Amino acid sequence: MTWWVMLLAWIVASLETGSNGLFVQKRIGYRGRVFNVFKIKTMRSHSGKETTVTTSNDRRITKSGAFFRKTKIDELPQLFNVLFGQMSFVGPRPDVEGFADRLEGEEREILSVRPGITGPASLKYRNEEEILAAQKDPERYNKEVIWPDKVKINLAYLKAWSLKRDIGYIIQTITGR
C-alpha cells in the first residue's frame, strides 16, 4: 500500500541530493548479524563529517529530508527489511557498529530478537534530533545519556512483551501520539 509513497519520496530524494535517493546502512540485527537497513536518503553527502549522530540543525539534511524525517516516510523502505526477515514491525531499533558491540551481559538480550521499525525507545526519543541539537556535545550526550536509556527501555520491552503493547506502539507510531 505504501509503494507509491516510497517511489515518490525516492524520486524527490534523488533529485534533491543529486544521488540515489535510497540510503543503505550497515546495522547490527538479530543475533548480532550485520545487515543492510533501507531508508529514503534525507541528507546530502558532506566530506569530513563522519558521525552517525544527527541533530535537527544539521546542514546536511535536505528540505524534503526534514519532512521525510518528521513524518517517518524515510523509514518506509524498512518494510522490505521486514519482508526479508531482517526486521520486525516492533522491537529495539537496530544499532550501527560501535553501539551494539558495547552491549554487555544482560544487555545482549536485545540481540535475541529481530530489530524493529518502531518500539518504546523509538517513541520516547521520537524527537531525538531536537534533543541532541540542544546539547553542547551531541555525540557525547547520545553515548552517555540517550543510548544507555534506550538499552534500559529495550530490556524492559523484552521482559514485558505483549502483542497488545506491540499493536499500541504501531498505532502510536502511525498517529504520532
Side-chain angles (χ1 to χ4, degrees):
M1 292 187 310
T2 63
W3 69 268
W4 65 274
V5 176
M6 284 188 264
L7 179 63
L8 185 60
W10 173 76
I11 291 168
V12 170
S14 295
L15 292 172
E16 196 165 16
T17 64
S19 63
N20 183 349
L22 184 67
F23 176 72
V24 180
Q25 186 180 46
K26 295 209 177 300
R27 298 282 178 103
I28 308 300
Y30 181 59
R31 295 188 176 162
R33 293 185 187 122
V34 177
F35 73 101
N36 289 321
V37 71
F38 305 115
K39 297 175 106 177
I40 296 295
K41 191 176 283 186
T42 60
M43 301 170 72
R44 290 181 191 86
S45 296
H46 185 274
S47 60
K49 187 146 184 171
E50 296 298 322
T51 181
T52 58
V53 176
T54 307
T55 65
S56 58
N57 57 6
D58 193 312
R59 291 181 178 179
R60 299 174 297 168
I61 300 173
T62 63
K63 287 185 194 281
S64 64
F67 173 75
F68 294 155
R69 285 170 175 260
K70 184 176 175 113
T71 59
K72 303 299 183 196
I73 288 172
D74 65 317
E75 308 277 349
L76 286 175
Q78 289 171 48
L79 293 171
F80 288 105
N81 291 112
V82 172
L83 286 172
F84 299 154
Q86 300 162 323
M87 292 181 70
S88 63
F89 288 106
V90 182
R93 288 291 296 157
D95 277 317
V96 295
E97 293 174 307
F99 281 92
D101 353 16
R102 292 174 42 203
L103 296 170
E104 296 178 345
E106 176 190 37
E107 296 172 343
R108 296 203 54 82
E109 289 290 317
I110 292 169
L111 300 175
S112 71
V113 297
R114 282 181 175 59
I117 294 175
T118 191
S122 299
L123 291 166
K124 178 176 181 180
Y125 288 103
R126 159 177 263 137
N127 63 339
E128 181 175 331
E129 292 175 356
E130 287 82 22
I131 294 169
L132 290 170
Q135 305 307 314
K136 193 177 270 187
D137 185 347
E139 189 115 16
R140 181 175 175 192
Y141 189 83
N142 185 57
K143 283 182 183 173
E144 295 177 3
V145 177
I146 293 177
W147 188 75
D149 190 38
K150 286 180 177 179
V151 170
K152 288 178 190 166
I153 293 166
N154 288 328
L155 286 172
Y157 163 78
L158 293 177
K159 289 177 182 171
W161 181 88
S162 78
L163 180 60
K164 182 179 178 183
R165 282 194 187 106
D166 276 6
I167 292 168
Y169 297 136
I170 292 169
I171 291 169
Q172 284 180 288
T173 300
I174 293 169
T175 62
R177 294 182 188 179

